[in-house]
Amino acid sequence: MNDDKIDSILQEKRIFNPPADFAKNANLNAEKLAELDKKYAEDPDKYWGDLAREELVWDKDFHTVLDWKPPFAKWFLGGELNVSVQCLDRHLDTGRRNKAAIIWEGEDGEQITLTYQQLHREVCRFANALELMGIKQGDRVAVYMPMVPEMAIAMLACARIGALHNVIFGGYSAQAIKDRVEGSECKLIITADGGWRRGKIVPLKDTVDEALANGGCPSVEKVIVVRRTAHEITWDKSRDIWWDELIAPQSGKHTPKSFDAEHPLFILYTSGTTGSPKGVIHASAGYALWTKLTSRWVFDLKEDDVYWCTADIGWITGHSYILYGPLQEGATTLMFEGAPNYPEPDRFWDIIERHGVNIFYTAPTAIRAFMKWGEEWPAKHDLSSLRLLGSVGEPINPEAWMWYREHIGHNQCPIVDTWWQTETGGHMISPIPGATPTVPGSATRALPGIEADVVDRDGNSVGDDEGGLLIVRRPWPAMLRTVYGNDARFKAGYFGRFGDKYLAGDGARRDANGNIWIMGRIDDIINVSGHRLGTMEVESALVSHPDVTEAAVVARPDDLKGQAIVAFVTLENDKPGEDLENILKQHVVHEIGAIARPAEIRFTPALPKTRSGKIMRRLLADIAAGRTPGDTTTLEDSKVLDSLKEQMNAKA
Ligand code: ATP
Ligand code: MG
């Protein structure tokens, strides 16, 4: 028996072709897409080399496209550039000087627009300040900030002087800061006094103080603090510096240095959904190239679009698709500090209406929350500016996809379901909105240049509709270069299984039309009587019941079947109706078959999620099996886990 096979039971027949208008004006239509695929197939090195020369501003041309000594890849050898120049300087004499680069809205409603020239000036001033403080090429700088413009400025200034930013999501604890700052020996932390979240102050500076207390983070020499909430904080005169005082005397001119194409651009830790987070390292030129191209291809960015990605910059989605990708394309990127339901559950729709947002990119966890809050909230607003919708972070259940299409996109907007990872740097599998027919729940096809495949345990491609392991056959420019300070983990985790092929860690299948379906994490696969089931299909069957908002299925050891399915379910209205447990079990049987019938359904008001909004099935599996939950450092709300534990104990 092939123990990496995953059985597929879900069938989705709905299909949506790109709207004719959209296809006509698209940056990439079916013809151009086919040309790119053909060019790649003929000569991958030439494909990447030509794109790199066309897209990036090089200070020195490269002599070799790729040096591949698995698992280590080097791209564009001999080339030199500066990534902040790609984002800023290159636009200053192309007619974009006075175009909005960042439109920022604070939770309190405050608004700031920075043109390319203004953003450039602020980045130069901060880069000068950092250099004056002695921050040099290769130094690590931690960024622990609310979503304010200074966060973007700080990151771009690091890139400009060749320091590696290590962004730590502003909701993480002192311990998480310690782990990440000590792990990468940061010299400096950039933070703010606080940030706003649902009308309350998030005391960022206090948390930094806590991380640095009692000799914590000994590598940190200085802490730069942005004034945001202006509440009282403690101050260490020998260590803490106000941002505004620091930049006040600085010149708005800064001559950028050239860095090697492979110079590491940043460190960023993964979400920690499947285990302890990995400190992913990305390199300058390859990352810049791919985030630029995918922004243009997948988001179809046009000169006068207002583009909005709702992620926090603390995640890779924000790095690549709030900052580096859109700015390199000279786009207008919207940045929002707050939560989607503050002051009311229509905050996002209000923002779209007021700013005339054209392209909107969010996560399934948010979409499921919008569904729960009700379609009356988006219905209050004129969303007709929207022309494209995107999804990222988790598999999107087909019913959530349909809801998104209908209630946000008014059946007019293509949806790009983008599969990728912190490690991949940019999109890997996604529809091209003007070219690819979309199917609810499928990320469709690998982008041109990405050789994604679904394979069995021996690395052979599986047949149509068979599930297996998602891999990438050849390196791509934006792939991670290593795990910070841990080449062994990098090698074992991603290349340990198939040598020179990248193992993504997700299960997938490809249907007869060539569309790829992500079936869930390999770690979460459930084995029921010899059938190996991914989590996605069973969960989607549950979510397709009108009473269900979210579902997470996990395995519990079972004497008879090996494993039994336990489903954790949240409901539209929090009270389960009579016999709902049996109704839902029957519903799953009806939708996908008896093999997937959950042995047990647990109703819960909330599911445990990472700070980035992903369901943490491994913790639910621990609870269902009566084990002590593993690593919880990336958990969003420990109360959710506590109440689930109590519930299980009460039952036992
Ligand atoms: P860790 O690696 O620490 O366990 P993580 O994998 O959640 O955390 P990220 O890099 O933030 O860290 O997330 C990447 C993962 O998110 C993918 O491997 C995949 O499981 C999931 N994912 C992202 N986008 C999609 C998508 N469009 N469809 C399905 N799954 C997705
Ligand atoms: Mg991962």
Side-chain angles (χ1 to χ4, degrees):
M1 198 178 85
N2 182 345
D3 66 7
D4 288 310
K5 207 170 141 275
I6 310 172
D7 296 315
S8 175
I9 41 193
L10 181 79
Q11 287 297 325
E12 174 61 59
K13 298 279 180 238
R14 291 167 288 197
I15 179 160
F16 299 94
N17 287 312
D21 260 20
F22 196 105
K24 201 171 110 218
N25 300 312
N27 291 343
L28 215 56
N29 57 26
E31 212 168 82
K32 284 192 213 155
L33 179 61
E35 268 168 38
L36 286 168
D37 281 328
K38 181 161 170 267
K39 203 172 163 198
Y40 176 81
E42 283 165 7
D43 186 346
D45 277 12
K46 180 162 167 29
Y47 170 88
W48 288 122
D50 287 356
L51 284 173
R53 287 197 178 95
E54 283 159 23
E55 299 291 331
L56 301 177
V57 182
W58 293 92
D59 298 326
K60 191 174 153 215
D61 192 15
F62 50 91
H63 54 71
T64 306
V65 172
L66 170 65
D67 171 43
W68 178 219
K69 295 193 179 65
F72 300 106
K74 292 195 179 116
W75 285 89
F76 313 121
L77 282 85
E80 284 180 13
L81 46 52
N82 183 302
V83 175
S84 93
V85 170
Q86 317 299 316
C87 295
L88 301 170
D89 307 57
R90 71 178 297 171
H91 303 306
L92 299 183
D93 54 8
T94 58
R96 291 187 180 128
R97 190 165 66 103
N98 293 319
K99 176 178 174 175
I102 295 178
I103 297 177
W104 175 79
E105 182 165 317
E107 193 186 75
D108 53 1
E110 187 185 346
Q111 294 186 25
I112 295 174
T113 298
L114 287 169
T115 64
Y116 274 93
Q117 176 170 266
Q118 289 167 333
L119 181 61
H120 176 259
R121 209 180 133 70
E122 293 309 311
V123 169
C124 287
R125 293 173 80 200
F126 196 61
N128 283 323
L130 289 177
E131 282 184 335
L132 213 66
M133 291 173 72
I135 303 295
K136 300 181 305 295
Q137 172 176 358
D139 285 347
R140 278 82 57 207
V141 173
V143 175
Y144 180 72
M145 292 176 84
M147 284 275 286
V148 291
E150 286 87 348
M151 186 182 196
I153 293 164
M155 291 165 72
L156 292 167
C158 286
R160 196 170 185 89
I161 66 167
L164 285 64
H165 51 73
N166 180 0
V167 178
I168 304 165
F169 171 61
Y172 274 134
S173 64
Q175 186 58 46
I177 298 176
K178 252 182 97 171
D179 293 345
R180 288 161 178 72
V181 168
E182 289 180 355
S184 58
E185 293 173 278
C186 296
K187 259 191 167 171
L188 174 72
I189 300 183
I190 306 169
T191 187
D193 47 1
W196 291 108
R197 190 77 182 169
R198 296 198 173 89
K200 293 202 182 71
I201 290 174
V202 182
L204 297 166
K205 172 65 164 58
D206 291 353
T207 311
V208 169
D209 288 346
E210 196 186 328
L212 267 55
N214 306 319
C217 310
S219 56
V220 173
E221 292 164 12
K222 298 280 173 196
V223 176
I224 300 176
V225 186
V226 172
R227 254 181 252 268
R228 169 76 186 127
T229 45
H231 69 296
E232 209 179 309
I233 53 174
T234 48
W235 198 257
D236 176 344
K237 266 201 194 125
S238 66
R239 187 196 70 194
D240 301 341
I241 311 165
W242 285 111
W243 169 291
D244 44 330
E245 290 172 10
L246 179 70
I247 61 163
Q250 299 304 327
S251 151
K253 291 201 166 64
H254 176 272
T255 309
K257 289 194 195 78
S258 311
F259 299 108
D260 193 274
E262 277 295 308
H263 178 61
L265 182 64
F266 63 82
I267 306 173
L268 181 65
Y269 283 80
T270 59
S271 293
T273 313
T274 58
S276 78
K278 292 146 282 205
V280 163
I281 294 273
H282 279 292
S284 299
Y287 174 83
L289 174 64
W290 192 233
T291 51
K292 179 172 194 292
L293 281 169
T294 48
S295 294
R296 184 161 82 238
W297 293 348
V298 174
F299 294 133
D300 195 55
L301 281 179
K302 298 278 168 50
E303 205 56 63
D304 62 356
D305 278 330
V306 176
Y307 159 85
W308 183 23
C309 165
T310 70
D312 193 287
I313 295 186
W315 315 121
I316 190 68
T317 303
H319 279 57
S320 301
Y321 297 114
I322 294 178
L323 218 54
Y324 286 109
L327 292 182
Q328 286 189 87
E329 278 294 281
T332 297
T333 177
L334 195 143
M335 186 174 168
F336 173 54
E337 179 189 29
N341 56 350
Y342 187 86
E344 295 286 351
D346 62 345
R347 183 64 186 265
F348 277 11
W349 322 128
D350 182 45
I351 290 177
I352 291 175
E353 180 171 3
R354 277 187 291 107
H355 293 282
V357 171
N358 307 103
I359 300 163
F360 178 69
Y361 190 35
T362 197
T365 182
I367 296 168
R368 293 186 302 250
F370 303 146
M371 291 171 76
K372 187 166 170 122
W373 297 334
E375 62 221 43
E376 58 274 21
W377 292 104
K380 282 191 195 175
H381 294 275
D382 176 4
L383 304 181
S384 60
S385 58
L386 289 174
R387 63 182 192 86
L388 177 65
L389 304 176
S391 171
V392 59
E394 284 185 296
I396 177 166
N397 314 107
E399 286 326 305
W401 196 101
M402 290 302 295
W403 188 95
Y404 195 28
R405 178 181 154 83
E406 189 181 335
H407 295 289
I408 309 304
H410 297 286
N411 300 315
Q412 306 291 314
C413 304
I415 297 179
V416 289
D417 173 8
T418 59
W419 177 87
W420 59 296
Q421 306 175 296
T422 309
E423 296 89 336
T424 70
H427 300 150
M428 300 293 276
I429 304 175
S430 169
I432 296 290
T436 320
T438 54
V439 191
S442 169
T444 72
R445 284 150 194 273
L447 296 174
I450 304 300
E451 287 192 42
D453 198 2
V454 183
V455 301
D456 62 20
R457 63 184 312 182
D458 302 317
N460 300 315
S461 303
V462 298
D464 288 352
D465 279 326
E466 281 176 30
L469 309 171
L470 183 61
I471 64 154
V472 186
R473 291 195 170 277
R474 275 182 53 95
W476 66 101
M479 69 192 271
L480 78 165
R481 295 303 190 264
T482 190
V483 171
Y484 189 83
N486 200 342
D487 284 350
R489 189 171 184 196
F490 166 65
K491 189 172 177 183
Y494 305 102
F495 293 93
R497 181 107 185 211
F498 297 121
D500 61 346
K501 294 170 197 74
Y502 174 82
L503 180 74
D506 287 338
R509 84 182 149 93
R510 191 187 347 246
D511 68 20
N513 297 320
N515 288 322
I516 294 175
W517 299 75
I518 306 299
M519 299 174 77
R521 314 284 184 143
I522 302 172
D523 295 6
D524 295 334
I525 284 175
I526 304 174
N527 193 330
V528 187
S529 311
H531 294 272
R532 292 166 50 80
L533 305 176
T535 51
M536 155 74 167
E537 298 187 337
V538 188
E539 289 166 2
S540 289
L542 284 162
V543 171
S544 75
H545 189 280
D547 288 354
V548 174
T549 312
E550 278 193 307
V553 302
V554 301
R556 182 188 67 197
D558 183 276
D559 291 345
L560 232 62
K561 299 177 183 159
Q563 290 184 329
I565 298 176
V566 180
F568 292 81
V569 166
T570 67
L571 298 174
E572 287 280 312
N573 74 7
D574 289 316
K575 291 257 165 305
E578 210 188 316
D579 211 29
L580 187 60
E581 174 157 8
N582 280 323
I583 293 171
L584 290 182
K585 287 179 182 174
Q586 235 4 76
H587 179 73
V588 172
V589 172
H590 178 255
E591 290 293 300
I592 53 182
I595 186 68
R597 182 187 166 91
E600 189 181 341
I601 293 183
R602 308 288 297 166
F603 298 107
T604 165
L607 296 171
K609 292 185 179 172
T610 61
R611 288 276 172 182
S612 57
K614 296 164 196 269
I615 299 171
M616 296 178 84
R617 293 179 191 76
R618 62 184 168 86
L619 300 182
L620 291 172
D622 289 339
I623 286 182
R627 296 185 296 260
T628 310
D631 189 330
T632 54
T633 53
T634 57
L635 180 65
E636 184 184 26
D637 183 355
S638 57
K639 284 197 230 67
V640 175
L641 203 63
D642 294 341
S643 77
L644 280 166
K645 271 193 281 191
E646 264 169 43
Q647 213 188 71
M648 289 309 260
N649 290 342
K651 220 193 159 193

